[in-house]
Amino acid sequence: MTQLAIRTRTTPAGPVVELTGELDYDSYSQVRELLPGLALQDGQQLVVDLAGLTFCDSSGITALLAARNHALAARAGIALAAVPGHIRRIFHMVGLDQVFPTHPTAQDAEAAWTPPATRP
């Protein structure tokens, strides 16, 4: 069985999901099941920290796209942080580097977030 550890934390910018291990067919459902419970508000940003990810297959990519869809449905943004080189290469090959903004660290992603302007 594939091992995937998921840790979440909340920041003013929005939730941060840290993935460690392998994100594949055996584990992607863990990410998909987590999404509905994330407190994500209009204008916030969901950060998915991939620093500890050792493997990602097409099912893992599907889980990341589900996270993106969840963020967009909440009228929020999404960013990936610390994408390992071997996974960055796959993202580039399939065009996902054009879909997901990326940052070197989760802290950089949080710092790049701009709070929504106060609406009248």
Side-chain angles (χ1 to χ4, degrees):
M1 176 134 180
T2 303
Q3 296 294 319
L4 178 70
I6 302 173
R7 186 172 152 237
T8 61
R9 60 186 170 87
T10 303
T11 72
V16 176
V17 177
E18 299 171 356
L19 303 178
T20 304
E22 298 181 3
L23 182 56
D24 61 12
Y25 180 78
D26 291 328
S27 63
Y28 82 101
S29 61
Q30 291 176 253
V31 174
R32 294 197 62 153
E33 290 168 5
L34 168 81
L35 296 174
L38 288 178
L40 189 58
Q41 299 175 9
D42 184 357
Q44 285 190 317
Q45 172 180 253
L46 170 61
V47 175
V48 183
D49 187 341
L50 304 179
L53 206 61
T54 58
F55 179 79
C56 182
D57 70 4
S58 60
S59 297
I61 289 172
T62 299
L64 294 174
L65 289 170
R68 179 179 182 269
N69 291 341
H70 177 73
L72 294 176
R75 296 175 38 141
I78 185 167
L80 302 181
V83 181
H86 62 286
I87 295 170
R88 183 184 320 273
R89 184 173 157 259
I90 293 167
F91 282 10
H92 177 71
M93 288 177 6
V94 297
L96 290 177
D97 58 338
Q98 303 299 310
V99 173
F100 289 103
T102 60
H103 300 276
T105 67
Q107 292 76 18
D108 290 328
E110 293 166 38
W113 172 73
T114 304
T118 305
R119 295 184 178 128

